[in-house]
Structures are given as structure tokens and as C-alpha cells.
Amino acid sequence: MDDLSMYFYDVKYKEIIREKTETEFEKFFSKVMQTKYKDDFMPCRPWGQEGDKKNDGYLISERHLFAVNGPHSLNQPRMIKKINSDFSGAIDYWEEFFDKWSFVHNQDSLPPKINKELMKLGTKYTAIKFTFWGPSTLRDIIFSLEEAYIRDILGPVPSKINYATLKFEDIQPVIKSISKRSNPRKEDLEPVPENKLLINGLSDPIIGLIKAGLIRAPLVRQYLDLQTELNLGDQIADTLRRHYEDLRDNTKLDSDEIYSELAKFITDPNKKDNQVYMAAVHTVLAYFFEQCTIFESVSA
């Protein structure tokens, strides 16, 4: 796996964690664990009115029981109630089988009240080891696997060879897709300041994708220069700028998440598993980043 593929996998993992909630997150967790631990991991599916008896998976060799919760948004009282409900139900039905109990969640971090609840359980049930598994734990498990398994879990991603062989015609479908959403407005675009990557607080994987795209970004300029439609580049720049500003001003997404949403905005869903096409998507995005269309050019 080259470093560019690793950047893509890292970004794709964060997108999956953000988008998969509730039962989809539970299914994702189960797939990761089954891939890593094979028959040592025992999934447990709900069964009629009995449900799953508060068992979202069991690691046999470690006597380790899991409760998985992937809410759309964090609600402290609801999650605390969920923790206690899941654990009390597990004790009632599975007590003789587990010595470890982990609450698996999809949040970057948890507030003090929720962490305290885990400590309270650990104080009361000293024979059981309690832990919280957040996205970083699942990420470590996934990236400990061979690339074929990572690809199976996260899907295909571009590599350096896809960028190196990117051709003029590969840019065309991406530009055409964006141009359909454009609202014409003439304005000059200024070159990107050298510290723009740092100003916006982008992570190393996102910076890596932008830098890789900038190498082939001249293809985008060549394509736009040859188009007969007047000001097509400015029209597309305006469309991307408007979408960026809407994400910046009306969501709580961080810079990495905004970049991912912009990539999704210009991607044809039917082509998202096409590695050459996705290399073109990020090349186009890098070009308009360089032209100061998206993200901030000066620090606030």
C-alpha cells in the first residue's frame, strides 16, 4: 500500500464513521471484528421480541462482551441510560460468560458525565473490566489488517499509479457534473497562499490528497481553457464556493469533514468505486483549492 492509498483509506474511514449510525454502525462493527478475529468473534443478531439480550458481539477467547451504540448525535442522558440498560441486561443474561465489557460508540470523544458512568460501573462490579471503544480503537484494528481486508471493509481507493496515469479525458466527467450545478458569476481567482494548508487546520491525510491532486491540476486548467462555454471555470468556482460557505456557516463540520463533503458533492455516486474517476475528483478539488475557491486564504 502506498502512502496516498493510506491517506484515502484514512479519509474514507472517517466518512464511514460519520455516516453509519444505529444499526448500520452495529453491522460495520461486526464486519470489522469478524474480519479481524474470524471464528473467535461471535456476532449476535436480535431475535423477535427477545432482541439480542444486550449482546452486540462476543470475543470468545477473551470472554469479552460488546454493547454497540452509534447515535446520530450525542445526547448525554440518553447515552447514560443506554449504558446502564445494556450492562444490566448483559448481567441478567450473560453474566457467567464474560469478564470484560466494552461500550462501542461512534463519537470522537465522550463528555465527563458519560465517562464517570463507566467508572461507577467499574467500582460496583470489580470482577469485570470496563472499557469504551471509540473510532480510534476500530481504526487501529482495521489498519492492522492486510490491505485486501482493508479494501473489503472500506472499499477501493485510488493509488499513486492512478494519479500518475490520469489523462485529460478523465477530468471531463467531473467537470461536466459540476457545471450542471453552476450559477455564472465573473470574478478573478487569486493564487493560493503558501500557508493555506496550515491556516485551515487540515489533517495530514487531507493535505496529502490535496498535494497529490495539485501535481495533476494543470490538466484541469487545460480542460477549462479549451471549453467554448464562456467563464466555465468561474461558474464552477462559484458553485463550489457557495457550497463550501454553506457547509462552513451552517454545519458543525470540521475542515476535514467539509473537504469530504465537497468531494462527495462533485462525485457521481455511481462512480465512487472507480479509482481513476476518484483520482480525477480529488484533482479537480485540489485545483479549485489552489485557486482560492474553497477554504480560507487568511487566518481568522
PDB file of all heavy atoms in Angstrom, residues 5 8-10 12-13 16 28 31 142 147-158 272-275:
ATOM      1  N   SER A   5      -2.635   5.879  -0.951  1.00  0.00           N
ATOM      2  CA  SER A   5      -3.755   4.975  -0.668  1.00  0.00           C
ATOM      3  C   SER A   5      -4.089   5.010   0.817  1.00  0.00           C
ATOM      4  O   SER A   5      -5.266   4.986   1.212  1.00  0.00           O
ATOM      5  CB  SER A   5      -3.414   3.548  -1.090  1.00  0.00           C
ATOM      6  OG  SER A   5      -3.297   3.443  -2.487  1.00  0.00           O
ATOM      7  N   PHE A   8      -6.159   7.986   1.563  1.00  0.00           N
ATOM      8  CA  PHE A   8      -7.536   7.781   1.122  1.00  0.00           C
ATOM      9  C   PHE A   8      -8.301   6.877   2.089  1.00  0.00           C
ATOM     10  O   PHE A   8      -9.456   7.136   2.416  1.00  0.00           O
ATOM     11  CB  PHE A   8      -7.571   7.177  -0.279  1.00  0.00           C
ATOM     12  CG  PHE A   8      -7.637   8.202  -1.380  1.00  0.00           C
ATOM     13  CD1 PHE A   8      -6.525   8.490  -2.147  1.00  0.00           C
ATOM     14  CD2 PHE A   8      -8.824   8.876  -1.642  1.00  0.00           C
ATOM     15  CE1 PHE A   8      -6.582   9.435  -3.164  1.00  0.00           C
ATOM     16  CE2 PHE A   8      -8.888   9.825  -2.657  1.00  0.00           C
ATOM     17  CZ  PHE A   8      -7.773  10.104  -3.417  1.00  0.00           C
ATOM     18  N   TYR A   9      -7.662   5.803   2.518  1.00  0.00           N
ATOM     19  CA  TYR A   9      -8.320   4.895   3.467  1.00  0.00           C
ATOM     20  C   TYR A   9      -8.652   5.613   4.767  1.00  0.00           C
ATOM     21  O   TYR A   9      -9.718   5.421   5.351  1.00  0.00           O
ATOM     22  CB  TYR A   9      -7.430   3.691   3.762  1.00  0.00           C
ATOM     23  CG  TYR A   9      -7.467   2.605   2.716  1.00  0.00           C
ATOM     24  CD1 TYR A   9      -6.283   2.087   2.179  1.00  0.00           C
ATOM     25  CD2 TYR A   9      -8.673   2.078   2.265  1.00  0.00           C
ATOM     26  CE1 TYR A   9      -6.311   1.080   1.223  1.00  0.00           C
ATOM     27  CE2 TYR A   9      -8.711   1.075   1.309  1.00  0.00           C
ATOM     28  CZ  TYR A   9      -7.531   0.577   0.791  1.00  0.00           C
ATOM     29  OH  TYR A   9      -7.564  -0.407  -0.151  1.00  0.00           O
ATOM     30  N   ASP A  10      -7.728   6.448   5.215  1.00  0.00           N
ATOM     31  CA  ASP A  10      -7.957   7.179   6.465  1.00  0.00           C
ATOM     32  C   ASP A  10      -9.160   8.111   6.335  1.00  0.00           C
ATOM     33  O   ASP A  10     -10.020   8.164   7.228  1.00  0.00           O
ATOM     34  CB  ASP A  10      -6.706   7.982   6.828  1.00  0.00           C
ATOM     35  CG  ASP A  10      -6.729   8.474   8.257  1.00  0.00           C
ATOM     36  OD1 ASP A  10      -6.355   7.709   9.150  1.00  0.00           O
ATOM     37  OD2 ASP A  10      -7.145   9.637   8.480  1.00  0.00           O
ATOM     38  N   LYS A  12     -11.598   7.863   4.128  1.00  0.00           N
ATOM     39  CA  LYS A  12     -12.795   7.057   3.904  1.00  0.00           C
ATOM     40  C   LYS A  12     -13.305   6.472   5.218  1.00  0.00           C
ATOM     41  O   LYS A  12     -14.519   6.391   5.448  1.00  0.00           O
ATOM     42  CB  LYS A  12     -12.493   5.940   2.907  1.00  0.00           C
ATOM     43  CG  LYS A  12     -13.726   5.410   2.191  1.00  0.00           C
ATOM     44  CD  LYS A  12     -13.350   4.622   0.949  1.00  0.00           C
ATOM     45  CE  LYS A  12     -14.580   4.260   0.150  1.00  0.00           C
ATOM     46  NZ  LYS A  12     -14.246   3.494  -1.071  1.00  0.00           N
ATOM     47  N   TYR A  13     -12.396   6.063   6.091  1.00  0.00           N
ATOM     48  CA  TYR A  13     -12.809   5.534   7.396  1.00  0.00           C
ATOM     49  C   TYR A  13     -13.569   6.591   8.198  1.00  0.00           C
ATOM     50  O   TYR A  13     -14.624   6.317   8.786  1.00  0.00           O
ATOM     51  CB  TYR A  13     -11.591   5.051   8.191  1.00  0.00           C
ATOM     52  CG  TYR A  13     -11.957   4.650   9.608  1.00  0.00           C
ATOM     53  CD1 TYR A  13     -12.685   3.496   9.847  1.00  0.00           C
ATOM     54  CD2 TYR A  13     -11.603   5.458  10.695  1.00  0.00           C
ATOM     55  CE1 TYR A  13     -13.050   3.137  11.138  1.00  0.00           C
ATOM     56  CE2 TYR A  13     -11.961   5.102  11.983  1.00  0.00           C
ATOM     57  CZ  TYR A  13     -12.686   3.941  12.196  1.00  0.00           C
ATOM     58  OH  TYR A  13     -13.058   3.592  13.468  1.00  0.00           O
ATOM     59  N   ILE A  16     -17.062   6.974   6.858  1.00  0.00           N
ATOM     60  CA  ILE A  16     -17.926   5.851   7.241  1.00  0.00           C
ATOM     61  C   ILE A  16     -18.388   5.993   8.679  1.00  0.00           C
ATOM     62  O   ILE A  16     -19.567   5.789   8.988  1.00  0.00           O
ATOM     63  CB  ILE A  16     -17.177   4.516   7.031  1.00  0.00           C
ATOM     64  CG1 ILE A  16     -17.065   4.215   5.535  1.00  0.00           C
ATOM     65  CG2 ILE A  16     -17.890   3.373   7.751  1.00  0.00           C
ATOM     66  CD1 ILE A  16     -16.195   3.016   5.210  1.00  0.00           C
ATOM     67  N   PHE A  28     -21.312  -2.545  10.784  1.00  0.00           N
ATOM     68  CA  PHE A  28     -19.930  -2.217  10.451  1.00  0.00           C
ATOM     69  C   PHE A  28     -18.989  -2.767  11.519  1.00  0.00           C
ATOM     70  O   PHE A  28     -17.960  -3.388  11.199  1.00  0.00           O
ATOM     71  CB  PHE A  28     -19.774  -0.703  10.327  1.00  0.00           C
ATOM     72  CG  PHE A  28     -18.373  -0.252  10.022  1.00  0.00           C
ATOM     73  CD1 PHE A  28     -17.820  -0.454   8.770  1.00  0.00           C
ATOM     74  CD2 PHE A  28     -17.609   0.377  10.994  1.00  0.00           C
ATOM     75  CE1 PHE A  28     -16.518  -0.043   8.479  1.00  0.00           C
ATOM     76  CE2 PHE A  28     -16.312   0.789  10.719  1.00  0.00           C
ATOM     77  CZ  PHE A  28     -15.765   0.581   9.458  1.00  0.00           C
ATOM     78  N   LYS A  31     -18.635  -6.524  11.140  1.00  0.00           N
ATOM     79  CA  LYS A  31     -17.807  -6.905   9.996  1.00  0.00           C
ATOM     80  C   LYS A  31     -16.330  -6.739  10.308  1.00  0.00           C
ATOM     81  O   LYS A  31     -15.513  -7.607   9.966  1.00  0.00           O
ATOM     82  CB  LYS A  31     -18.181  -6.072   8.765  1.00  0.00           C
ATOM     83  CG  LYS A  31     -17.369  -6.444   7.523  1.00  0.00           C
ATOM     84  CD  LYS A  31     -17.850  -5.714   6.287  1.00  0.00           C
ATOM     85  CE  LYS A  31     -17.076  -6.169   5.051  1.00  0.00           C
ATOM     86  NZ  LYS A  31     -17.556  -5.511   3.817  1.00  0.00           N
ATOM     87  N   ILE A 142      -8.683  -2.105  12.068  1.00  0.00           N
ATOM     88  CA  ILE A 142      -8.759  -2.171  10.606  1.00  0.00           C
ATOM     89  C   ILE A 142      -7.385  -2.050   9.977  1.00  0.00           C
ATOM     90  O   ILE A 142      -7.003  -2.839   9.095  1.00  0.00           O
ATOM     91  CB  ILE A 142      -9.694  -1.065  10.062  1.00  0.00           C
ATOM     92  CG1 ILE A 142     -11.144  -1.334  10.475  1.00  0.00           C
ATOM     93  CG2 ILE A 142      -9.591  -0.984   8.533  1.00  0.00           C
ATOM     94  CD1 ILE A 142     -12.089  -0.198  10.153  1.00  0.00           C
ATOM     95  N   GLU A 147      -3.897  -5.336   3.339  1.00  0.00           N
ATOM     96  CA  GLU A 147      -4.623  -4.370   2.511  1.00  0.00           C
ATOM     97  C   GLU A 147      -5.879  -4.970   1.871  1.00  0.00           C
ATOM     98  O   GLU A 147      -6.899  -4.287   1.730  1.00  0.00           O
ATOM     99  CB  GLU A 147      -3.728  -3.796   1.416  1.00  0.00           C
ATOM    100  CG  GLU A 147      -4.431  -2.713   0.612  1.00  0.00           C
ATOM    101  CD  GLU A 147      -3.557  -2.027  -0.402  1.00  0.00           C
ATOM    102  OE1 GLU A 147      -2.390  -2.451  -0.585  1.00  0.00           O
ATOM    103  OE2 GLU A 147      -4.032  -1.051  -1.031  1.00  0.00           O
ATOM    104  N   ALA A 148      -5.839  -6.239   1.502  1.00  0.00           N
ATOM    105  CA  ALA A 148      -7.013  -6.862   0.875  1.00  0.00           C
ATOM    106  C   ALA A 148      -8.217  -6.810   1.810  1.00  0.00           C
ATOM    107  O   ALA A 148      -9.355  -6.589   1.368  1.00  0.00           O
ATOM    108  CB  ALA A 148      -6.700  -8.306   0.502  1.00  0.00           C
ATOM    109  N   TYR A 149      -7.981  -6.985   3.105  1.00  0.00           N
ATOM    110  CA  TYR A 149      -9.069  -6.934   4.075  1.00  0.00           C
ATOM    111  C   TYR A 149      -9.521  -5.490   4.316  1.00  0.00           C
ATOM    112  O   TYR A 149     -10.710  -5.219   4.493  1.00  0.00           O
ATOM    113  CB  TYR A 149      -8.636  -7.576   5.395  1.00  0.00           C
ATOM    114  CG  TYR A 149      -8.393  -9.065   5.297  1.00  0.00           C
ATOM    115  CD1 TYR A 149      -7.128  -9.595   5.541  1.00  0.00           C
ATOM    116  CD2 TYR A 149      -9.416  -9.941   4.957  1.00  0.00           C
ATOM    117  CE1 TYR A 149      -6.896 -10.958   5.448  1.00  0.00           C
ATOM    118  CE2 TYR A 149      -9.198 -11.306   4.862  1.00  0.00           C
ATOM    119  CZ  TYR A 149      -7.940 -11.810   5.110  1.00  0.00           C
ATOM    120  OH  TYR A 149      -7.714 -13.169   5.013  1.00  0.00           O
ATOM    121  N   ILE A 150      -8.561  -4.568   4.334  1.00  0.00           N
ATOM    122  CA  ILE A 150      -8.911  -3.154   4.491  1.00  0.00           C
ATOM    123  C   ILE A 150      -9.794  -2.714   3.333  1.00  0.00           C
ATOM    124  O   ILE A 150     -10.808  -2.030   3.515  1.00  0.00           O
ATOM    125  CB  ILE A 150      -7.648  -2.273   4.556  1.00  0.00           C
ATOM    126  CG1 ILE A 150      -6.795  -2.652   5.765  1.00  0.00           C
ATOM    127  CG2 ILE A 150      -8.031  -0.786   4.618  1.00  0.00           C
ATOM    128  CD1 ILE A 150      -5.465  -1.921   5.842  1.00  0.00           C
ATOM    129  N   ARG A 151      -9.430  -3.132   2.143  1.00  0.00           N
ATOM    130  CA  ARG A 151     -10.205  -2.797   0.945  1.00  0.00           C
ATOM    131  C   ARG A 151     -11.605  -3.392   1.024  1.00  0.00           C
ATOM    132  O   ARG A 151     -12.585  -2.751   0.632  1.00  0.00           O
ATOM    133  CB  ARG A 151      -9.473  -3.312  -0.297  1.00  0.00           C
ATOM    134  CG  ARG A 151     -10.178  -3.034  -1.619  1.00  0.00           C
ATOM    135  CD  ARG A 151      -9.477  -3.768  -2.757  1.00  0.00           C
ATOM    136  NE  ARG A 151     -10.191  -3.619  -4.020  1.00  0.00           N
ATOM    137  CZ  ARG A 151      -9.888  -2.742  -4.956  1.00  0.00           C
ATOM    138  NH1 ARG A 151      -8.886  -1.915  -4.782  1.00  0.00           N
ATOM    139  NH2 ARG A 151     -10.584  -2.678  -6.072  1.00  0.00           N
ATOM    140  N   ASP A 152     -11.715  -4.607   1.535  1.00  0.00           N
ATOM    141  CA  ASP A 152     -13.022  -5.253   1.663  1.00  0.00           C
ATOM    142  C   ASP A 152     -13.919  -4.489   2.633  1.00  0.00           C
ATOM    143  O   ASP A 152     -15.121  -4.365   2.412  1.00  0.00           O
ATOM    144  CB  ASP A 152     -12.840  -6.697   2.135  1.00  0.00           C
ATOM    145  CG  ASP A 152     -14.167  -7.417   2.276  1.00  0.00           C
ATOM    146  OD1 ASP A 152     -14.902  -7.523   1.275  1.00  0.00           O
ATOM    147  OD2 ASP A 152     -14.492  -7.858   3.399  1.00  0.00           O
ATOM    148  N   ILE A 153     -13.325  -3.955   3.694  1.00  0.00           N
ATOM    149  CA  ILE A 153     -14.105  -3.238   4.709  1.00  0.00           C
ATOM    150  C   ILE A 153     -14.441  -1.819   4.261  1.00  0.00           C
ATOM    151  O   ILE A 153     -15.580  -1.360   4.394  1.00  0.00           O
ATOM    152  CB  ILE A 153     -13.336  -3.198   6.047  1.00  0.00           C
ATOM    153  CG1 ILE A 153     -13.227  -4.605   6.645  1.00  0.00           C
ATOM    154  CG2 ILE A 153     -14.024  -2.260   7.045  1.00  0.00           C
ATOM    155  CD1 ILE A 153     -12.307  -4.686   7.844  1.00  0.00           C
ATOM    156  N   LEU A 154     -13.449  -1.105   3.721  1.00  0.00           N
ATOM    157  CA  LEU A 154     -13.614   0.315   3.406  1.00  0.00           C
ATOM    158  C   LEU A 154     -13.923   0.599   1.938  1.00  0.00           C
ATOM    159  O   LEU A 154     -14.388   1.692   1.603  1.00  0.00           O
ATOM    160  CB  LEU A 154     -12.363   1.093   3.823  1.00  0.00           C
ATOM    161  CG  LEU A 154     -11.967   1.012   5.303  1.00  0.00           C
ATOM    162  CD1 LEU A 154     -10.708   1.836   5.550  1.00  0.00           C
ATOM    163  CD2 LEU A 154     -13.100   1.483   6.204  1.00  0.00           C
ATOM    164  N   GLY A 155     -13.668  -0.372   1.070  1.00  0.00           N
ATOM    165  CA  GLY A 155     -13.902  -0.149  -0.348  1.00  0.00           C
ATOM    166  C   GLY A 155     -12.626   0.259  -1.065  1.00  0.00           C
ATOM    167  O   GLY A 155     -11.623   0.603  -0.436  1.00  0.00           O
ATOM    168  N   PRO A 156     -12.627   0.246  -2.403  1.00  0.00           N
ATOM    169  CA  PRO A 156     -11.428   0.592  -3.180  1.00  0.00           C
ATOM    170  C   PRO A 156     -11.097   2.078  -3.081  1.00  0.00           C
ATOM    171  O   PRO A 156     -11.991   2.911  -2.921  1.00  0.00           O
ATOM    172  CB  PRO A 156     -11.813   0.213  -4.606  1.00  0.00           C
ATOM    173  CG  PRO A 156     -13.314   0.316  -4.634  1.00  0.00           C
ATOM    174  CD  PRO A 156     -13.770  -0.104  -3.264  1.00  0.00           C
ATOM    175  N   VAL A 157      -9.812   2.398  -3.165  1.00  0.00           N
ATOM    176  CA  VAL A 157      -9.356   3.793  -3.156  1.00  0.00           C
ATOM    177  C   VAL A 157      -8.287   3.976  -4.227  1.00  0.00           C
ATOM    178  O   VAL A 157      -7.637   3.007  -4.644  1.00  0.00           O
ATOM    179  CB  VAL A 157      -8.779   4.200  -1.778  1.00  0.00           C
ATOM    180  CG1 VAL A 157      -9.833   4.096  -0.684  1.00  0.00           C
ATOM    181  CG2 VAL A 157      -7.549   3.358  -1.435  1.00  0.00           C
ATOM    182  N   PRO A 158      -8.073   5.201  -4.688  1.00  0.00           N
ATOM    183  CA  PRO A 158      -7.014   5.462  -5.674  1.00  0.00           C
ATOM    184  C   PRO A 158      -5.618   5.237  -5.085  1.00  0.00           C
ATOM    185  O   PRO A 158      -5.429   5.230  -3.860  1.00  0.00           O
ATOM    186  CB  PRO A 158      -7.224   6.940  -6.027  1.00  0.00           C
ATOM    187  CG  PRO A 158      -8.639   7.227  -5.663  1.00  0.00           C
ATOM    188  CD  PRO A 158      -8.910   6.385  -4.452  1.00  0.00           C
ATOM    189  N   LYS A 272     -18.230   6.106  -7.581  1.00  0.00           N
ATOM    190  CA  LYS A 272     -17.389   6.328  -6.395  1.00  0.00           C
ATOM    191  C   LYS A 272     -16.394   5.199  -6.135  1.00  0.00           C
ATOM    192  O   LYS A 272     -15.422   5.389  -5.398  1.00  0.00           O
ATOM    193  CB  LYS A 272     -18.266   6.553  -5.162  1.00  0.00           C
ATOM    194  CG  LYS A 272     -19.119   5.372  -4.768  1.00  0.00           C
ATOM    195  CD  LYS A 272     -19.963   5.697  -3.546  1.00  0.00           C
ATOM    196  CE  LYS A 272     -20.807   4.494  -3.132  1.00  0.00           C
ATOM    197  NZ  LYS A 272     -21.627   4.811  -1.937  1.00  0.00           N
ATOM    198  N   ASP A 273     -16.630   4.016  -6.726  1.00  0.00           N
ATOM    199  CA  ASP A 273     -15.687   2.906  -6.562  1.00  0.00           C
ATOM    200  C   ASP A 273     -14.709   2.801  -7.724  1.00  0.00           C
ATOM    201  O   ASP A 273     -13.891   1.877  -7.773  1.00  0.00           O
ATOM    202  CB  ASP A 273     -16.449   1.584  -6.407  1.00  0.00           C
ATOM    203  CG  ASP A 273     -17.170   1.497  -5.066  1.00  0.00           C
ATOM    204  OD1 ASP A 273     -16.704   2.121  -4.105  1.00  0.00           O
ATOM    205  OD2 ASP A 273     -18.205   0.795  -4.994  1.00  0.00           O
ATOM    206  N   ASN A 274     -14.790   3.748  -8.672  1.00  0.00           N
ATOM    207  CA  ASN A 274     -13.865   3.793  -9.798  1.00  0.00           C
ATOM    208  C   ASN A 274     -12.637   4.604  -9.372  1.00  0.00           C
ATOM    209  O   ASN A 274     -12.714   5.809  -9.144  1.00  0.00           O
ATOM    210  CB  ASN A 274     -14.548   4.447 -11.007  1.00  0.00           C
ATOM    211  CG  ASN A 274     -13.678   4.475 -12.234  1.00  0.00           C
ATOM    212  OD1 ASN A 274     -12.503   4.826 -12.171  1.00  0.00           O
ATOM    213  ND2 ASN A 274     -14.253   4.132 -13.374  1.00  0.00           N
ATOM    214  N   GLN A 275     -11.493   3.932  -9.261  1.00  0.00           N
ATOM    215  CA  GLN A 275     -10.316   4.580  -8.687  1.00  0.00           C
ATOM    216  C   GLN A 275      -9.789   5.727  -9.550  1.00  0.00           C
ATOM    217  O   GLN A 275      -9.353   6.758  -9.023  1.00  0.00           O
ATOM    218  CB  GLN A 275      -9.233   3.528  -8.462  1.00  0.00           C
ATOM    219  CG  GLN A 275      -9.601   2.553  -7.344  1.00  0.00           C
ATOM    220  CD  GLN A 275      -8.886   1.232  -7.485  1.00  0.00           C
ATOM    221  OE1 GLN A 275      -9.275   0.372  -8.263  1.00  0.00           O
ATOM    222  NE2 GLN A 275      -7.823   1.056  -6.718  1.00  0.00           N
TER     223      GLN A 275
END
